[in-house]
Amino acid sequence: MADRSLRGMRLGSQSLQSEEGVTFSPRVSHTYLCATCGRVTVMIFSAEAEAPDEWECRFCSQTATRLVDSKPVVVDHSDEKIARTHWDMLLERRTRAELEELLEERLTVLRQRRGQKVGA
């Protein structure tokens, strides 16, 4: 670095380091096909890394599937948990008959508060 002059140089914006003696890690490219828009995305990963079977499509943000020998990989989603809704959790605590009985009680209270005739 002694042979280079720093005068007038934009420090921080340009690297003075060369690529001499640098060995890059081996890389592998994987192809992903989006079923929604039909476009192909090529992603480059380290050869040591395990490539995911699904990737977000960069064009439409939907899920793209990895291609192996020009065929999409079959992704097994059977081990994934299905999100429970509030209704599902409520049905775990009470039966449908109990819920209908509670609904009728609350509707009766609301109708009485409004001054409506009960049973109308």
Side-chain angles (χ1 to χ4, degrees), residues 4 10 13-14 17 28 31-32 61 82-83 91-93 96 101 104 108 113 119:
R4 297 183 191 170
R10 296 176 303 237
S13 64
Q14 291 180 339
Q17 199 172 21
V28 178
T31 307
Y32 292 87
S61 299
I82 299 172
L91 288 177
E92 290 175 5
R93 294 190 306 268
R96 202 166 180 100
E101 182 181 333
E104 282 303 318
T108 302
R113 191 183 310 162

Side-chain angles (χ1 to χ4, degrees), residues 60-92:
C60 68
S61 299
Q62 296 298 317
T63 303
T65 309
R66 185 166 54 101
L67 297 176
V68 175
D69 298 329
S70 301
K71 294 180 185 176
V73 172
V74 178
V75 180
D76 182 23
H77 292 286
S78 62
D79 60 338
E80 293 180 10
K81 287 187 175 182
I82 299 172
R84 295 186 310 169
T85 63
H86 294 290
W87 179 249
D88 294 332
M89 290 185 263
L90 185 64
L91 288 177
E92 290 175 5

Side-chain angles (χ1 to χ4, degrees), residues 108-117:
T108 302
V109 170
L110 286 173
R111 288 179 184 138
Q112 286 174 350
R113 191 183 310 162
R114 288 184 182 170
Q116 293 179 355
K117 203 177 192 185

Side-chain angles (χ1 to χ4, degrees), residues 52-63:
D53 291 334
E54 293 180 328
W55 194 263
E56 183 179 315
C57 177
R58 65 181 188 179
F59 300 102
C60 68
S61 299
Q62 296 298 317
T63 303

Side-chain angles (χ1 to χ4, degrees), residues 12-26:
S13 64
Q14 291 180 339
S15 174
L16 297 175
Q17 199 172 21
S18 67
E19 293 184 5
E20 273 181 36
V22 176
T23 55
F24 294 103
S25 64

